Amino acid sequence: MAAPCKSETVVNDLIDFLNASPTAFHAVDEAKKRLKEAGFEQVSEREDWNLESGKKYFFTRNYSTIVAFAIGKKYVAGNGFHIVGAHTDSPCLKLKPVSKVAKGGYLEIGVQTYGSGLWHTWFDRDLTIAGRLMIKEGKDNSLSYLHRLVRIEEPIMRIPNLAIHLDRNADGFKVNTHSHLVPVLATTIKGELQKVASQDSLVSNGKELKETSNADTNKHHLILLQLLAAQACCEPDEICDFELQVCDAQASIIGGAMKEFIFSGRLDNLCMSFCSLKAFIDSTSSESCLDNETGVRMVALFDHEEVGSNSAQGAGSPAMLDALSRITDFFSPSDSKLLEKAIQRSFLVSADMAHALHPNYMDKHEENHQPKLHGGLVVKHNANQRYATNAVTSFIFREIAKRHNLPIQDFVVRNDMPCGSTIGPILASGTGIRTVDVGAPQLSMHSIREMCAVDDVRHSYEHFKAYYEEFSQLDAKITVDF
């Protein structure tokens, strides 16, 4: 059998990344594993940094945002940072602090909507739960607390639709996100039988469901706490708190009659997170790759973009600017003015998925700006600064595409429609860094199940990798403010 070509390897790698990342926490955990395997050293924001030119580092914040950087061997303080930024979160349903709901003979899970999802797509799907737990370990003076990622692989919930016989207006169904969007976990009678059976222990997916005496069953169903504890290898009463979300249990796959599509949840924006991360790692993987680099290459994957980025770990936080400041100051602690110079020499690619032309809704796109699947990365423009692209930043990104014969497209929203936004304007206005907004085209954005094209994954990866490797030389030839 012939070995897979490079593009197939990149796409298969994306599928693995998607299937390993049901939540932002898991996406950061997967990114961390890949960075460590590539020789990156983890640093802590709580500690002093000891950096060296030619070396590679990363840090996490809240374990839902991750920033990695590679320092060129010819870097001196005041030189620029070459960054790709993306986000780790996607619209979903998150469990409420009190998730226990019981009505009509059913045990249900109380959830709140996160972001602007196409919530009707969550009905009649096989659902499960993933996220992180806060767990206590030890006793008395040796007591400690830690977070632990958890994921229940099997489908344990469902949000059933109402039968058409009971709603003759089903064609016009509108989701009431409070009363309709409540996953069913079990029936009450089975839940009561489970309480009795737990005395003799239950087994789920090969893992024992442990009896509990002190778990907070006033807030959460006992069976849910037992399932979580079984996955986390702890006792139910050792779970102090959690951040959990509902996930589609169906795996990401390559599909279509010509195997040209990717069908998956969370493509917005894990596809761009993966492509930027892989391009960054591969651009710094060889022993000589940083020999002639005068700047710092960086990838920053933020949480909370879908809800405005205004959090301690969102793009609206100082997380990235703090990193730029600490790196610059480390190499020149006596000159406080160098960061301002470095910012003006820096460049940010804001990478967030774009709207491909939909064949059944073609009137939703402006006639001269209709991104197509397989057409390469989309440069996003908006005169009202909903995107941060300008002529200079667009040219730089296009020139890199031209040099590598990569396709590239443009998107402008119709004048009679509102325009979405990205982390691009937030970071550009917060730091002063030149920014271009781009993204791979996709369909079904914010659905529980989205789709994009295999070719665009390769195009995105190659474009980002070329940007990392060639920006320093290209930028030296550009004059604007003089």
Side-chain angles (χ1 to χ4, degrees), residues 366-437:
E366 204 276 338
E367 53 269 23
N368 292 323
H369 301 87
Q370 300 182 338
K372 308 287 200 308
L373 296 184
H374 306 303
L377 281 168
V378 179
V379 179
K380 305 175 183 180
H381 307 260
N382 184 260
N384 297 302
Q385 295 302 296
R386 297 292 287 171
Y387 301 128
T389 306
N390 62 30
V392 177
T393 61
S394 176
F395 162 75
I396 290 172
F397 208 65
R398 289 177 189 286
E399 182 63 19
I400 292 170
K402 181 179 179 181
R403 293 182 178 190
H404 291 266
N405 197 30
L406 291 168
I408 196 163
Q409 311 180 76
D410 291 288
F411 174 76
V412 174
V413 74
R414 288 172 54 111
N415 286 337
D416 56 359
M417 294 176 65
C419 183
S421 193
T422 68
I423 63 173
I426 295 170
L427 291 170
S429 61
T431 64
I433 295 175
R434 295 169 293 169
T435 302
V436 62
D437 266 298

Side-chain angles (χ1 to χ4, degrees), residues 14-190:
L14 169 61
I15 297 297
D16 291 341
F17 185 87
L18 290 167
N19 285 327
S21 306
T23 73
F25 304 118
H26 289 82
V28 166
D29 190 61
E30 180 66 15
K32 176 181 174 179
K33 291 175 183 175
R34 290 167 180 255
L35 288 165
K36 282 195 166 184
E37 289 174 359
F40 284 75
E41 176 186 339
Q42 184 168 5
V43 293
S44 171
E45 290 189 285
R46 295 189 174 196
E47 307 293 339
D48 291 334
W49 291 359
N50 185 23
L51 309 176
E52 295 181 43
S53 58
K55 300 292 186 180
K56 305 179 290 186
Y57 307 90
F58 75 92
F59 66 88
T60 66
R61 181 178 285 195
N62 189 53
Y63 217 75
S64 58
T65 287
I66 188 166
V67 178
F69 54 95
I71 305 170
K73 287 189 177 180
K74 294 185 178 180
Y75 170 77
V76 294
N79 286 0
F81 294 80
H82 318 144
I83 312 163
V84 180
H87 65 90
T88 58
D89 62 320
S90 301
C92 66
L93 302 176
K94 298 203 173 190
L95 271 65
K96 293 179 177 177
V98 179
S99 70
K100 187 175 183 179
V101 177
K103 58 185 179 183
Y106 292 95
L107 304 183
E108 296 183 299
I109 299 296
V111 296
Q112 52 184 330
T113 57
Y114 175 85
S116 301
L118 291 175
W119 302 123
H120 66 276
T121 65
W122 288 71
F123 285 75
D124 296 332
R125 300 289 304 184
D126 295 341
L127 304 174
T128 188
I129 286 176
R132 73 167 167 191
L133 311 178
M134 288 302 299
I135 295 174
K136 62 181 177 181
E137 287 190 342
K139 293 182 179 180
D140 302 327
N141 293 333
S142 64
L143 192 63
S144 62
Y145 303 89
L146 71 156
H147 90 146
R148 186 174 297 169
L149 301 192
V150 65
R151 178 184 191 179
I152 299 174
E153 298 281 354
E154 63 211 32
I156 61 169
M157 301 186 301
R158 196 173 177 90
I159 305 174
N161 253 309
L162 183 64
I164 193 169
H165 313 81
L166 302 178
D167 183 8
R168 292 299 180 180
N169 297 318
D171 287 345
F173 174 63
K174 293 183 179 180
V175 178
N176 182 310
T177 54
H178 180 73
S179 57
H180 297 156
L181 214 55
V182 188
V184 173
L185 179 67
T187 57
T188 302
I189 189 168
K190 289 292 185 180

Side-chain angles (χ1 to χ4, degrees), residues 208-333:
E208 182 178 325
L209 303 185
K210 299 178 181 179
E211 182 181 357
T212 179
S213 57
N214 299 316
D216 195 351
T217 55
N218 291 323
K219 289 186 175 183
H220 311 289
H221 290 300
L222 173 61
I223 182 62
L224 174 63
L225 294 174
Q226 290 179 317
L227 287 167
L228 293 170
Q231 293 295 321
C233 299
C234 70
E235 302 291 339
D237 56 8
E238 291 175 338
I239 300 174
C240 303
D241 209 338
F242 57 59
E243 287 179 77
L244 298 171
Q245 68 188 57
V246 180
C247 309
D248 189 0
Q250 187 175 358
S252 304
I253 59 169
I254 298 171
M258 303 301 294
K259 300 298 181 184
E260 61 183 304
F261 304 128
I262 294 172
F263 302 144
S264 173
R266 308 173 306 283
L267 288 173
D268 176 23
N269 191 38
L270 290 185
C271 180
M272 291 293 91
S273 292
F274 165 81
C275 290
S276 57
L277 177 69
K278 182 171 178 59
F280 171 72
I281 290 174
D282 289 354
S283 77
T284 60
S285 59
S286 69
E287 292 185 4
S288 61
C289 60
L290 296 174
D291 286 354
N292 296 313
E293 178 60 76
T294 59
V296 177
R297 300 175 188 175
M298 178 178 285
V299 63
L301 309 180
F302 296 98
D303 195 3
H304 293 153
E305 187 275 345
E306 296 292 355
V307 291
S309 297
N310 293 318
S311 70
Q313 53 274 4
S317 76
M320 191 179 81
L321 187 58
D322 286 350
L324 271 57
S325 178
R326 292 184 72 159
I327 295 167
T328 302
D329 289 348
F330 181 85
F331 285 92
S332 183

